[in-house]
């Protein structure tokens, strides 16, 4: 049996103003008559997002990339060298365990803060901090240096703290400057579950590091209610007796505080004993 060629309906369609040059090809049915195509398109469309739902939804968590893993491993290695011990847990969970060991190693909170400052200094090449303090910090009364470190902090430290953005802060001279960094929800505080670890391995040693080694004043204002934190580069921190962060009670999620409340029969602890 010979194959029979079925002719397709052709319709002349001219793409030129001269009708003597018609082009012939098969013209399919209009899209409105093609049910399969219409069903597939409707199934691939994204659902509309209501404005109120988008506003009320929380911001997506920061997803670390390749460089973030390098930063984490570098920081953890320096932390392990200082502590002399490493956790068997990988990644961020192991980092938190080593930070807890750092707190236990120090005889006093001052020992822990000094150890943390040594870790921060070891992250930088030799002479870089000194050159920055001599050459960059004096420019513009320190505002240029403050803005620079704010941007570097926001770019390189999200693996540790989570999503953060550069914002404007008020300076002591009455002006404002984009030398602030706002952390939406600090991952380090949330995972460590401890006010003392926040104060002695992050807030106070970081403030001391920038002031003593880079010549840049820094005030860090952690919010222990929503775990946010405001960095204010170019602003001197208050005296210890006036810093409200040092008088914070234990977090509700702190496992040690839970056991302590059970022992003290629910009595309120005035402040975190580790702070």
């Amino acid at each position: 049996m010979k194959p029979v060629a079925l002719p397709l309906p052709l319709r002349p369609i001219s793409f030129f103003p001269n009708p003597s040059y018609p082009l012939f090809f098969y013209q399919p049915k209009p899209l409105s008559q093609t049910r399969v195509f219409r069903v597939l398109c409707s199934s691939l469309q994204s659902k509309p997002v209501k404005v109120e739902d988008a506003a009320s939804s929380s911001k997506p968590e920061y997803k670390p990339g390749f460089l973030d893993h390098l930063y984490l491993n570098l920081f953890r290695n320096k932390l392990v060298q200082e502590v002399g011990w490493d956790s068997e847990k990988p990644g961020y969970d192991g980092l938190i365990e080593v930070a807890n060991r750092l707190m236990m190693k120090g005889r006093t909170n001052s020992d822990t803060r000094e150890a943390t400052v040594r870790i921060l200094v070891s992250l930088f090449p030799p002479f870089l901090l000194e050159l920055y303090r001599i050459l960059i910090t004096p420019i513009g009364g320190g505002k240029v240096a403050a803005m620079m470190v704010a941007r570097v902090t926001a770019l390189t430290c999200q693996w540790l703290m989570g999503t953060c953005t550069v914002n404007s802060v008020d300076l002591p001279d009455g002006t404002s400057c984009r030398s602030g960094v706002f952390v939406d929800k600090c991952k380090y505080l949330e995972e460590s579950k401890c006010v003392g670890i926040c104060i002695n391995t992050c807030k106070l040693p970081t403030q001391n590091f920038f002031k003593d080694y880079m010549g840049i004043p820094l005030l860090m204002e952690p919010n222990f209610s929503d775990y946010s934190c405001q960095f204010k580069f170019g602003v001197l921190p208050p005296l210890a007796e006036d810093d409200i962060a040092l008088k914070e009670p234990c977090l509700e999620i702190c496992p040690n505080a839970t056991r302590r409340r059970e022992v003290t029969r629910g009595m309120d602890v005035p402040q975190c004993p580790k702070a």
Side-chain angles (χ1 to χ4, degrees):
M1 179 181 296
K2 295 182 180 181
V4 179
L6 297 177
L8 295 174
L10 300 179
R11 194 182 291 179
I13 297 179
S14 175
F15 289 92
F16 304 95
N18 191 343
S20 61
Y21 298 96
L23 295 179
F24 293 86
F25 66 93
Y26 172 67
Q27 185 180 24
K29 294 181 179 180
L31 294 180
S32 60
Q33 299 179 12
T34 309
R35 296 183 178 179
V36 176
F37 182 85
R38 196 166 63 245
V39 171
L40 289 176
C41 285
S42 64
S43 63
L44 294 177
Q45 289 177 344
S46 59
K47 296 182 179 180
V49 180
K50 296 181 180 180
V51 176
E52 58 269 18
D53 292 341
S56 61
S57 60
S58 59
K59 295 183 179 180
E61 292 185 359
Y62 178 76
K63 296 182 179 180
F66 175 74
L67 288 178
D68 296 300
H69 291 295
L70 290 181
Y71 295 146
L72 189 152
N73 291 330
L74 174 62
F75 184 77
R76 177 169 174 169
N77 289 336
K78 298 295 184 179
L79 187 59
V80 169
Q81 292 176 15
E82 179 66 35
V83 175
W85 176 87
D86 195 5
S87 169
E88 295 182 355
K89 294 182 180 180
Y92 203 94
D93 293 338
L95 175 69
I96 294 299
E97 285 198 346
V98 182
N100 275 284
R101 184 62 64 95
L102 178 65
M103 281 288 297
M104 293 186 293
K105 180 183 178 181
R107 295 181 178 179
T108 63
N109 290 337
S110 297
D111 292 340
T112 302
R113 298 166 194 166
E114 293 173 0
T116 305
V117 171
R118 289 194 297 268
I119 295 171
L120 294 176
V121 173
S122 68
L123 294 173
F124 294 84
F127 306 112
L128 178 62
L129 298 176
E130 184 69 15
L131 289 175
Y132 191 93
R133 188 174 64 85
I134 295 174
L135 301 177
I136 306 298
T137 299
I139 300 176
K143 291 184 179 180
V144 173
M147 289 189 292
M148 288 178 63
V149 294
R151 281 155 177 76
V152 172
T153 300
L155 287 174
T156 61
C157 295
Q158 296 195 62
W159 65 269
L160 177 65
M161 305 181 297
T163 304
C164 55
T165 54
V166 175
N167 62 357
S168 181
V169 297
D170 295 329
L171 300 181
D173 61 1
T175 63
S176 61
C177 179
R178 291 188 62 80
S179 60
V181 177
F182 181 74
V183 183
D184 294 332
K185 189 175 184 180
C186 182
K187 183 178 181 181
Y188 189 70
L189 174 59
E190 185 179 20
E191 295 295 331
S192 64
K193 303 178 177 63
C194 180
V195 171
I197 289 181
C198 169
I199 296 297
N200 296 302
T201 69
C202 185
K203 172 182 162 61
L204 293 182
T206 303
Q207 292 178 170
N208 294 339
F209 165 76
F210 279 101
K211 182 64 173 65
D212 297 339
Y213 289 89
M214 302 185 73
I216 303 173
L218 169 63
L219 170 61
M220 295 174 61
E221 297 177 328
N223 186 322
F224 295 106
S225 298
D226 60 6
Y227 304 156
S228 64
C229 186
Q230 176 68 59
F231 287 61
K232 294 182 177 180
F233 292 99
V235 179
L236 283 169
L239 298 175
E241 55 268 24
D242 298 327
D243 196 337
I244 60 175
L246 306 186
K247 304 174 184 178
E248 280 288 327
C250 290
L251 299 177
E252 291 294 332
I253 59 175
C254 176
N256 294 329
T258 302
R259 292 191 292 268
R260 195 178 301 113
R261 281 191 292 268
E262 292 175 354
V263 173
T264 58
R265 298 180 181 180
M267 294 177 59
D268 292 334
V269 180
Q271 71 179 68
C272 175
K274 294 183 180 181

